[in-house]
Amino acid sequence: MARAEFAVVGHPNKGKSSIVSTLARNDKVQISHQSGTTTKANRVRVETLNAGYELIDTPGFQRPGKVLAWLKQRAKSADRRADAIAQFIDDPDCKSKFPDEVELLTPLVRGAAILYVVDGSRPYGQEYEAEMEILLWTGQPSMALINPIENNDHIQSWSNALAQYFKTVRLFNPMTADFDKQVELLQAFAHLKPEWSETINLVTSDLNQVRNSQQQNSAIILARLLEDMCSYRCTQKVLSKDQANNIQPLLIKNYNQWMLRREEKSMQELMAIYAHYQTELQIADLMLPPDLFDCEQWYMWGLNKQQLLTVAAVTGAVSGAAIDLAVAGHSFMLGAIGGGIIGVGSTLLGANKLVDTKIKGLPLGGYEACYGPVNNKNFPYVLIGRFIYLQHQICHRNHAAREALKLDKVDLQQQITSLEKSVQKDLHIACDKLIQQKTIENLELIIKPLLLF
Ligand SMILES: Nc1nc2c(ncn2[C@@H]2O[C@H](COP(=O)(O)OP(=O)(O)OP(=O)(O)O)[C@@H](O)[C@H]2O)c(=O)[nH]1
Ligand SMILES: [Mg+2]
């Protein structure tokens, strides 16, 4: 299959690297406010299951007027123009005087198509004509992309000017273009060279597959997280019961630290799946309550008490009638204050005792102090709530984005109730089993519908 290559070129600081990053769906491309960030041509291979193509990020034009003058001296007629460009990139004098132009023109001489990027929020000016002229001289297929960095104010004059040099002119904002828009642009690339159509078409159809496997892998990460965190216990062998009691605070500290690290690890894994390596995320960014085991705060992430009681009916922990009775007649809060429901609630939900604490005698003498596993029924929901909260933000984040992650609200309960009833039931049963330390087959399949595509 023909190797498809696209060099992203233009003035400095117009979003070339941003476009490469978003289209490659990888944030390893360097982007910055500073003009002249990219100084070397940088190839980014976009590989999917059945095909692939290359994007070449390039430095911006620095002295296009002078370069064009040089070229004009070498080519007096149109048939000599492409040769003049080839001479230019090999000329030692040009390499030292015009390093950026040599870098950006080299891939074009080697056969890459041109994606010319301009900023639609800045006025068009004649100074761009030298660079567009040079690009024309390469004789390569080309397309212009208007990136409206701050606004759409100058799109019309840009369109008029670009139409003089490019057959295809498109609007593309690398910060906001969603998946469909990215695929649409890629499909337009397929028309640049007929021999590249097959490759590009394969890539576009593969991209949906890629997203599906990202969702699948996210579900696997979440499943392992749930299993690990719901079963974790911290133990220590000691000689006496007193020692066992004294060691409790240390066990609790180690337990909490382990849990935090385990959750953090899953979040790093999640970011890597979506190729967001540069997005910094501290567990604290997820508005973690000061204490992960602060029950009151949990309800912000997991289910509220009433929802949990309903779940108890679904999983058969208590009959629906008992719950109706407990919840009926008075508001939940009043009931709780009155002590009526809290009694039912806390035995049902294990809300009084969050984590199991045990001291057991060992057959060969001595004791084992043990902290864990967690026995609060809300805990798996809390973990799921926090994980999908991040997954929902990261799965639609454009790879050109470099600002801190903005975390918008995701309501777990709403996500759950949007699922089919039987799927909901499987989920609740699975969460219940997790807390009871029972094995669950295909946990990843049960939770996958909660993760976005
Ligand atoms: N708001 C917004 N900012 C953008 C957009 N495109 C680029 N930027 C910002 O503009 C700056 C320059 O973007 P780059 O992608 O590094 O530009 P470049 O053309 O590769 O720059 P050089 O490598 O220096 O030539 C960065 O701070 C980007 O975050 C956009 O569509 N919207
Ligand atoms: Mg750049």
Side-chain angles (χ1 to χ4, degrees):
M1 232 181 306
R3 198 183 160 89
E5 298 178 319
F6 305 88
V8 184
V9 299
H11 238 54
N13 225 27
K14 299 299 173 198
K16 300 183 294 299
S17 301
S18 304
I19 288 178
V20 170
S21 192
T22 288
L23 289 180
R25 304 183 64 74
N26 189 310
D27 73 353
K28 280 189 175 161
V29 180
Q30 210 189 348
I31 294 173
S32 123
H33 290 297
Q34 228 163 6
S35 175
T37 300
T38 311
T39 55
K40 292 275 171 221
N42 173 26
R43 276 176 186 271
V44 180
R45 174 126 194 105
V46 183
E47 194 98 45
T48 60
L49 198 60
N50 299 297
Y53 73 103
E54 260 167 53
L55 288 166
I56 307 162
D57 192 11
T58 66
F61 280 99
Q62 294 291 343
R63 301 159 76 193
K66 292 223 158 51
V67 173
L68 188 59
W70 189 99
L71 292 168
K72 278 184 172 165
Q73 279 183 354
R74 264 84 191 162
K76 300 293 178 201
S77 57
D79 60 326
R80 308 290 308 146
R81 288 177 178 173
D83 286 344
I85 303 249
Q87 260 181 47
F88 173 84
I89 62 161
D90 281 335
D91 188 292
D93 201 32
C94 293
K95 283 184 188 171
S96 71
K97 269 205 219 132
F98 309 111
D100 298 285
E101 280 80 1
V102 167
E103 276 294 311
L104 82 93
L105 290 172
T106 301
L108 303 181
V109 173
R110 309 254 153 91
I114 299 165
L115 303 175
Y116 180 62
V117 180
V118 301
D119 176 0
S121 58
R122 294 292 172 89
Y124 172 72
Q126 240 185 332
E127 67 274 21
Y128 293 91
E129 284 166 20
E131 57 194 50
M132 292 195 283
E133 186 76 24
I134 295 169
L135 294 175
L136 212 52
W137 279 40
T138 65
Q140 288 297 5
S142 61
M143 175 190 291
L145 299 176
I146 305 177
N147 174 16
I149 293 190
E150 275 158 30
N151 52 56
N152 291 339
D153 289 359
H154 300 281
I155 287 179
Q156 194 51 54
S157 61
W158 270 111
S159 303
N160 297 344
L162 290 166
Q164 297 292 314
Y165 295 87
F166 300 90
K167 258 199 295 200
T168 317
V169 178
R170 295 181 73 107
L171 199 63
F172 186 78
N173 184 332
M175 299 298 165
T176 57
D178 62 12
F179 181 77
D180 292 339
K181 287 220 174 75
Q182 294 170 29
V183 168
E184 224 177 88
L185 180 65
L186 200 54
Q187 274 159 347
F189 290 0
H191 299 299
L192 287 180
K193 265 196 194 180
E195 64 265 39
W196 290 349
S197 315
E198 192 190 348
T199 311
I200 298 298
N201 289 338
L202 275 175
V203 170
T204 53
S205 61
D206 279 353
L207 279 176
N208 274 306
Q209 184 97 27
V210 170
R211 287 212 302 171
N212 192 16
S213 72
Q214 285 171 330
Q215 184 201 27
Q216 175 81 25
N217 288 333
S218 305
I220 292 172
I221 294 176
L222 176 56
R224 298 296 89 80
L225 173 77
L226 287 165
E227 287 162 355
D228 286 357
M229 286 188 72
C230 290
S231 65
Y232 184 67
R233 45 208 287 282
C234 215
T235 60
Q236 175 73 50
K237 286 189 181 124
V238 288
L239 293 173
S240 66
K241 270 195 178 170
D242 273 353
Q243 275 181 347
N245 282 326
N246 292 341
I247 206 145
Q248 274 296 324
L250 183 66
L251 287 185
I252 293 173
K253 186 172 153 229
N254 291 346
Y255 176 90
N256 287 354
Q257 266 175 5
W258 188 94
M259 297 290 259
L260 284 175
R261 266 194 232 113
R262 182 65 188 81
E263 192 188 27
E264 204 149 32
K265 178 170 161 254
S266 74
M267 294 191 172
Q268 299 303 342
E269 288 170 343
L270 179 70
M271 306 271 232
I273 282 199
Y274 286 93
H276 279 290
Y277 303 100
Q278 301 201 33
T279 304
E280 292 217 350
L281 181 91
Q282 310 282 325
I283 279 281
D285 296 339
L286 283 183
M287 292 189 288
L288 191 75
D291 178 0
L292 174 65
F293 302 99
D294 176 346
C295 231
E296 285 309 310
Q297 301 261 15
W298 276 18
Y299 296 110
M300 169 171 138
W301 290 106
L303 302 183
N304 66 34
K305 290 177 191 177
Q306 186 151 5
Q307 289 157 355
L308 276 171
L309 285 171
T310 316
V311 168
V314 172
T315 56
V318 69
S319 81
I323 289 170
D324 288 344
L325 202 67
V327 177
H330 39 227
S331 86
F332 196 74
M333 265 324 281
L334 270 179
I337 293 164
I341 293 169
I342 203 81
V344 182
S346 50
T347 31
L348 260 183
L349 313 174
N352 289 343
K353 221 169 75 178
L354 226 47
V355 180
D356 264 341
T357 317
K358 265 197 210 99
I359 299 172
K360 65 175 186 196
L362 294 172
L364 297 175
Y367 293 87
E368 187 186 68
C370 176
Y371 192 74
V374 84
N375 67 9
N376 185 290
K377 297 213 192 242
N378 206 5
F379 191 65
Y381 296 97
V382 172
L383 292 177
I384 294 172
R386 290 165 63 76
F387 190 89
I388 67 165
Y389 180 70
L390 181 60
Q391 194 260 352
H392 287 201
Q393 328 284 329
I394 208 83
C395 131
H396 292 302
R397 178 173 168 88
N398 279 18
H399 289 80
R402 293 293 185 274
E403 75 281 1
L405 198 59
K406 268 196 243 93
L407 291 160
D408 301 322
K409 194 165 166 41
V410 174
D411 185 337
L412 176 65
Q413 176 63 21
Q414 201 188 334
Q415 295 294 323
I416 293 179
T417 44
S418 69
L419 302 174
E420 267 181 48
K421 282 271 182 297
S422 65
V423 179
Q424 288 184 38
K425 186 171 178 190
D426 288 347
L427 177 74
H428 294 315
I429 291 173
C431 286
D432 197 49
K433 281 186 172 170
L434 277 165
I435 286 306
Q436 293 184 44
Q437 310 300 313
K438 289 184 185 158
T439 45
I440 303 150
E441 272 179 39
N442 299 326
L443 179 57
E444 50 269 33
L445 294 184
I446 297 171
I447 52 186
K448 189 176 164 194
L450 281 170
L451 298 162
L452 282 197
F453 183 65

